[in-house]
Amino acid sequence: NAGVTQTPKFQVLKTGQSMTLQCAQDMNHEYMSWYRQDPGMGLRLIHYSVGAGITDQGEVPNGYNVSRSTTEDFPLRLLSAAPSQTSVYFCASSYTGVYEAFFGQGTRLTVV
Amino acid sequence: DAKTTQPPSMDCAEGRAANLPCNHSTISGNEYVYWYRQIHSQGPQYIIHGLKNNETNEMASLIITEDRKSSTLILPHATLRDTAVYYCIALGEEGGSEKLVFGKGTKLTVNP
């Protein structure tokens, strides 16, 4: 079982560049979420989706876009990277109404 | 969702039981207590959850007081691989992975 797969694992971007962080799950989960984690801080929710075609903002959505065209995939797009977006990004998925979430291994992003 | 309070750090000797406390004095009747852990640089991992009764699985036991104002996660025979940050989260029945709000947790260090 693959679970939640995030790619890439590491990425360095220059300020102003755009990129997409990929997240895929093979458990047929309705819920998918993106979190970021900065040093010494807990995970903060960026965007989430309760099913294909439905997305909503979390706690820190600015600078990020998401879409959910399939149940399996939930990509996170950075339109114009900024140094403040240097962080570790985690994708998670779960069934509706269940908080046993499965997390990916993270993408470590550095914006220079 | 109820706020939880955890000690910032704890130490435990390898092979001994690790007892991690969590205070959730404002928890409401339909809120579950969830425990996650995050081993350095990895994505958070679900451990266990409970409502009223004590729960046990292959990873840990969860003891919830009768008044439900506090709980204890027990790792019966801690190993060095259990060194991690442990998060206690109180949640109601709606939503999914997007409802997980991670505080600072307890940094558990298992010593040889």
Side-chain angles (χ1 to χ4, degrees):
Chain A
N1 289 334
V4 178
T5 302
Q6 290 184 236
T7 55
K9 287 187 170 52
F10 301 93
Q11 183 71 49
V12 178
L13 285 179
K14 293 183 179 178
T15 298
Q17 285 185 315
S18 63
M19 81 158 294
T20 300
L21 280 63
Q22 302 291 346
C23 176
Q25 52 92 9
D26 61 359
M27 296 170 282
N28 203 32
H29 285 165
E30 300 97 332
Y31 278 71
M32 295 187 75
S33 311
W34 276 103
Y35 292 83
R36 62 177 286 173
Q37 186 171 34
D38 301 308
M41 298 184 70
L43 285 84
R44 292 183 292 171
L45 181 68
I46 305 171
H47 284 285
Y48 67 96
S49 169
V50 302
I54 306 169
T55 63
D56 207 343
Q57 295 181 350
E59 182 186 1
V60 288
N62 292 340
Y64 307 95
N65 277 357
V66 292
S67 60
R68 184 99 179 268
S69 56
T70 68
T71 299
E72 294 79 18
D73 300 298
F74 190 42
L76 179 72
R77 279 182 284 278
L78 283 71
L79 301 178
S80 178
S84 61
Q85 294 178 304
T86 294
S87 189
V88 182
Y89 292 84
F90 290 102
C91 178
S93 73
S94 69
Y95 288 112
T96 304
V98 176
Y99 304 110
E100 182 181 347
F102 293 80
F103 283 79
Q105 287 303 298
T107 294
R108 190 173 296 271
L109 176 68
T110 302
V111 183
V112 297
Chain B
D1 297 314
K3 178 181 167 58
T4 61
T5 304
Q6 299 177 252
S9 64
M10 294 183 66
D11 284 279
C12 176
E14 188 178 20
R16 304 298 292 268
N19 298 289
L20 291 92
C22 180
N23 183 290
H24 31 80
S25 57
T26 61
I27 197 168
S28 61
N30 68 343
E31 287 183 320
Y32 289 75
V33 178
Y34 278 75
W35 283 85
Y36 277 77
R37 74 179 182 183
Q38 187 174 25
I39 297 170
H40 181 61
S41 298
Q42 297 183 20
Q45 177 189 24
Y46 165 83
I47 301 172
I48 198 168
H49 74 281
L51 183 64
K52 286 194 258 191
N53 300 320
N54 298 337
E55 302 287 344
T56 295
N57 63 19
E58 64 278 5
M59 288 181 68
S61 294
L62 174 61
I63 308 297
I64 303 174
T65 58
E66 193 169 341
D67 63 8
R68 301 211 327 120
K69 293 184 186 300
S70 65
S71 61
T72 301
L73 179 75
I74 301 172
L75 307 178
H77 305 287
T79 70
L80 298 179
R81 287 177 292 182
D82 291 321
T83 292
V85 179
Y86 288 77
Y87 299 98
C88 170
I89 304 170
L91 287 167
E93 292 179 314
E94 295 182 359
S97 56
E98 88 288 1
K99 290 294 187 182
L100 290 168
V101 177
F102 293 84
K104 294 193 185 301
T106 296
K107 168 81 170 132
L108 175 69
T109 301
V110 180
N111 300 305

